Amino acid sequence: MAAMDLFGRRWALRILWELRAGPLGARALLARCEGLSSSVLYQRLRELASSGIIAPSADGYELTRLGTALRDALHPLDEWAITWAQEQGHNDQEPTET
């Protein structure tokens, strides 16, 4: 599966983003991703794990070395999105910590 195919799937990037600060369990991911069904969550978790980007841990799921590198690569996109939202009049956007 090519990276763009994987990341283009609904919820994949959001799940990765939620794991940026550390491991989370499935319930925590569902709570943070309003509208995400448990079946789609588990499907994405399987796909991301089989791609080597996340791994199960004692605390749920966490980024692997490759996942951490991806997180670091996504940080500039987050900064761009904040600037874009502010220019569009959505001033409620705040920078997020990684």
Side-chain angles (χ1 to χ4, degrees):
M1 179 179 330
M4 292 305 291
D5 289 337
L6 176 62
F7 304 140
R9 292 176 186 237
R10 188 171 176 139
W11 297 106
L13 286 175
R14 176 65 184 269
I15 291 166
L16 292 173
W17 188 249
E18 293 301 337
L19 294 172
R20 74 192 180 282
L24 290 173
R27 285 186 184 174
L29 285 167
L30 284 170
R32 291 177 182 217
C33 300
E34 186 177 329
L36 172 61
S37 71
S38 60
S39 62
V40 171
L41 172 64
Y42 287 111
Q43 182 178 358
R44 294 297 172 268
L45 291 172
R46 281 191 303 273
E47 293 165 351
L48 292 166
S50 70
S51 298
I53 297 169
I54 66 169
S57 73
D59 297 321
Y61 294 88
E62 63 185 357
L63 297 175
T64 62
R65 180 184 54 77
L66 287 173
T68 300
L70 176 59
R71 177 200 64 201
D72 295 344
L74 290 175
H75 187 68
L77 180 60
D78 181 48
E79 291 174 348
W80 176 88
I82 291 166
T83 301
W84 174 81
Q86 290 170 343
E87 289 181 7
Q88 298 298 311
H90 302 286
N91 292 324
D92 58 343
Q93 299 293 317
E94 293 292 328
T96 54
E97 294 181 26
T98 57

